[in-house]
Amino acid sequence: MSIVLKNIRRTFGTFQALRGINLEIADHQLVALLGPSGSGKTTLLRIIGGLDFPDPGNGSVSIHSEDVTEKPAADRKAGFVFQHYALFNHLSVFENVAFGLEVRPRPTRPSKEAIRDRVLELLRLVQLDGLEQRLPSELSGGQRQRVALARALAIDPKVLLLDEPFGALDAKVRKDLRRWLRSFHQEIGVTTVFVTHDQQEALELADVVVVMNQGQIEQTGSPQEVYDRPATPFVYEFLGDVNKVRKPGRPDLFYVRPHEVRILFAGDSSAEFHAKIEHLFAAGPSARLSLRLTDSRDTLDADMTRAQLEEMGLSEGDEVGLQLALTSKT
Amino acid sequence: MSATARPSQDPLWTRLLLIGGTVGFLTLFLFVPLALVFTEALRKGLQVYAEAITEENALSAIKLTLTVTAISVPLNAVFGVAAAWAIAKFSFKGKSLLLALIDLPFAVSPVVSGLVYVLLFGARGLFGPWLDEHNIQIIFAVPGMVLATVFVTFPFVARELIPLMQSQGNDEEYAALSLGASGWQTFRKVTLPNIKWALFYGIILCNARAMGEFGAVSVVSGHIRGETNTLPLHVEVLYNEYNSAAAFACASILSLLGLLTLALKTFIEWRAGLRRRHS
């Protein structure tokens, strides 16, 4: 195991940021801590990196089987990349990346040439060769992010910790960098934990998604697992669109994702529910239908392919029959 | 964004009146007095001027002023950085009280701060008997004057640094720590370069005030000629003796130091401005 967290609690004043977190992260994995703001994901990341600490006596952190609960950040060899990069603005790109090597005590500090070779190699790795003399202020957001990554990698970290790595970038760069990070992680193989509030990002990028809410872990699993078999109503709602449906005469709520709704002709005998199409939105690869159930007056979203929509010849105001794969979550 | 300012829409006479008023006011209340200091100082000729500032008591006053400044400014630079660091980078109970305390010297009259030290360390003060027993003199001696100056000039460095350090946050320091830097390395290689210009600016303001301080120092000095008179106190003594040529000669030295401070301050603002535009 690369990282093992046991029963971690963290309180700020009266606010319980983390309420007993247990988590094991295997070697070489790319793990997403996913949750809304205030769920404690960043606090947890900082505790792994030694930039924050659990309440005294409440929890332990070990990295590569070594208990580091009491160790300061400087002794953990955890590469940390900050949301706003936190580059040293008065130092060049080269000096930024070299920082972690330059501050080593003399006996373990590499020679000037060794540092130079290592820095240039890292800059090649993050595709920033040739920019080593620039100042951070002369770089774009995506480039700064990669400098921060190279700087964190320079210390040969045991784990790599990224706080909202794409949070401050625009949509296009975000997407490119996401894809790049995925292949980059495969190349370097360092166990990596990143924090995000974007479910799409977590599902696309991570091997393991840890869904957090209100200081607790709701579910841990592969992207497919957490999406297809959500363990709690929170996970169901947080990961992708979801409809809440009541069956006539029953008080409990059922959850169904829009793509799990099967649309049938109104007269089809296998229809479990009947509904009216209130709105039809067909700009995109698939069509989205806003439905209102005839019995309960609940509203419901459904997805279907454009081809299917044309084949059935549906339009707004039409009556349809529905088949729902309902799972009870209450 | 374009760098050209929007041409003023106000009528010409308004602009002339405002500019003229400002220039007139500055001339009357700032420039003329300053010029007068130098003309008065030189009225009886260069020789009298030179004599006045090389006279034994004047030299001793200059030396004392420099000594007091040389001790109190570095002390306040260190205290100021420490206080700003504590306030900007940590959260703790009583933080706003500490902030208010830092401003205290700005709020109370310097005479009061001087008197407080007399009450504490004077012959009949709180620690007076103990100090007397151990033969330590603070009031009416250099230590008292240093204490008074430190007190009065304490806020300058801290006040410059606090807003800057608060706006910079802790991330760069955390980044340095996670890269394996020690606390001292983090301060020297990350924090200090980031606050360099503000610190320098604060030190210069602190220095100007330390050299010019009159009230607090006057109370604890005892006015012993050639021993406990700083330059501002020496000017007053000379003036009260109707020796205005010598008084103005010494005053001109203080004014020169002031002008030098102003030049340095402008230079630093210009450099800091360049840097901001650069980043």
Side-chain angles (χ1 to χ4, degrees), chain A residues 261-283:
Chain A
V261 177
R262 238 186 109 204
I263 309 275
L264 308 165
F265 288 113
D268 199 312
S269 60
S270 57
E272 302 167 316
F273 294 86
H274 287 90
K276 191 174 161 186
I277 303 176
E278 290 207 320
H279 186 72
L280 204 157
F281 177 79

Side-chain angles (χ1 to χ4, degrees), chain B:
Chain B
M1 273 231 286
S2 135
T4 48
R6 182 182 62 100
S8 173
Q9 304 291 316
D10 300 315
L12 184 67
W13 67 267
T14 320
R15 272 184 279 161
L16 283 182
L17 195 71
L18 281 173
I19 297 170
T22 312
V23 171
F25 187 87
L26 288 179
T27 310
L28 192 62
F29 286 95
L30 292 174
F31 183 71
V32 171
L34 191 63
L36 261 180
V37 168
F38 289 98
T39 48
E40 278 296 315
L42 292 165
R43 203 164 56 159
K44 291 189 179 162
L46 265 178
Q47 181 156 13
V48 177
Y49 181 84
E51 268 169 25
I53 61 171
T54 53
E55 181 252 345
E56 195 187 331
N57 287 338
L59 281 180
S60 135
I62 294 173
K63 205 178 119 199
L64 183 58
T65 299
L66 293 179
T67 312
V68 169
T69 308
I71 299 172
S72 47
V73 171
L75 272 181
N76 270 341
V78 174
F79 290 158
V81 171
W85 186 294
I87 283 173
K89 313 261 167 172
F90 301 120
S91 59
F92 52 90
K93 276 189 188 143
K95 188 160 154 175
S96 46
L97 187 71
L98 188 62
L99 256 173
L101 268 180
I102 288 176
D103 279 341
L104 188 68
F106 277 169
V108 301
S109 160
V111 177
V112 177
S113 7
L115 277 175
V116 169
Y117 284 106
V118 174
L119 285 178
L120 276 178
F121 304 117
R124 294 176 192 185
L126 202 54
F127 304 118
W130 186 89
L131 290 169
D132 203 38
E133 242 169 67
H134 294 79
N135 224 353
I136 303 168
Q137 183 155 21
I138 291 183
I139 299 302
F140 306 143
V142 178
M145 302 172 79
V146 171
L147 277 178
T149 308
V150 166
F151 180 83
V152 171
T153 58
F154 180 74
F156 287 98
V157 172
R159 270 279 142 201
E160 275 309 311
L161 293 181
I162 289 167
L164 179 73
M165 288 172 95
Q166 275 175 334
S167 74
Q168 285 173 343
N170 293 344
D171 277 2
E172 284 190 40
E173 276 83 9
Y174 277 134
L177 290 175
S178 79
L179 291 167
S182 65
W184 172 242
Q185 280 173 322
T186 303
F187 176 73
R188 197 165 48 86
K189 291 179 172 241
V190 176
T191 309
L192 203 54
N194 276 335
I195 62 169
K196 183 171 58 178
W197 291 112
L199 177 62
F200 201 16
Y201 187 55
I203 287 177
I204 280 180
L205 290 180
C206 180
N207 187 59
R209 181 65 192 268
M211 289 191 300
E213 175 53 27
F214 179 83
V217 171
S218 172
V219 176
V220 297
S221 128
H223 302 274
I224 308 165
R225 273 192 164 203
E227 278 182 40
T228 63
N229 266 355
T230 58
L231 209 42
L233 300 181
H234 188 60
V235 172
E236 198 211 12
V237 168
L238 290 173
Y239 189 77
N240 284 345
E241 290 170 350
Y242 304 105
N243 191 351
S244 71
F248 278 108
C250 291
S252 74
I253 298 178
L254 276 174
S255 308
L256 272 178
L257 289 172
L259 289 175
L260 192 71
T261 306
L262 206 65
L264 262 173
K265 170 180 163 297
T266 314
F267 171 74
I268 286 167
E269 277 172 349
W270 174 70
R271 279 304 305 263
L274 275 187
R275 198 172 157 266
R276 247 197 307 283
R277 235 170 302 142
H278 195 65
S279 57

Side-chain angles (χ1 to χ4, degrees), chain A residues 116-129:
Chain A
R116 195 181 159 71
D117 291 347
R118 177 84 178 119
V119 171
L120 293 181
E121 180 200 326
L122 282 164
L123 287 176
R124 253 195 311 281
L125 194 67
V126 298
Q127 301 167 2
L128 287 175
D129 28 345

Side-chain angles (χ1 to χ4, degrees), chain A residues 211-260:
Chain A
V211 187
M212 292 184 67
N213 183 35
Q214 296 186 340
Q216 281 169 323
I217 293 178
E218 297 268 338
Q219 188 176 6
T220 303
S222 72
Q224 208 185 340
E225 244 168 348
V226 294
Y227 188 82
D228 288 344
R229 290 191 298 282
T232 66
F234 174 84
V235 178
Y236 221 128
E237 288 192 51
F238 196 69
L239 290 179
D241 298 335
V242 68
N243 296 300
K244 285 181 245 179
V245 182
R246 275 170 303 179
K247 274 188 176 170
R250 289 182 60 177
D252 43 351
L253 275 175
F254 293 89
Y255 290 78
V256 61
R257 295 208 190 276
H259 70 88
E260 294 168 337

Side-chain angles (χ1 to χ4, degrees), chain A residues 101-167:
Chain A
L101 301 171
E102 301 271 12
V103 296
R104 282 194 193 164
R106 210 169 278 280
T108 57
R109 192 190 310 157
S111 69
K112 270 217 149 18
E113 296 73 39
I115 290 179
R116 195 181 159 71
D117 291 347
R118 177 84 178 119
V119 171
L120 293 181
E121 180 200 326
L122 282 164
L123 287 176
R124 253 195 311 281
L125 194 67
V126 298
Q127 301 167 2
L128 287 175
D129 28 345
L131 298 186
E132 58 266 18
Q133 291 316 317
R134 297 269 189 96
L135 285 174
S137 55
E138 298 165 330
L139 301 177
S140 72
Q143 289 172 327
R144 286 183 209 186
Q145 180 66 272
R146 282 178 283 151
V147 174
L149 200 57
R151 182 178 70 176
L153 287 171
I155 61 169
D156 282 317
K158 292 175 181 167
V159 293
L160 197 54
L161 309 170
L162 317 174
D163 186 8
E164 296 272 0
F166 314 109

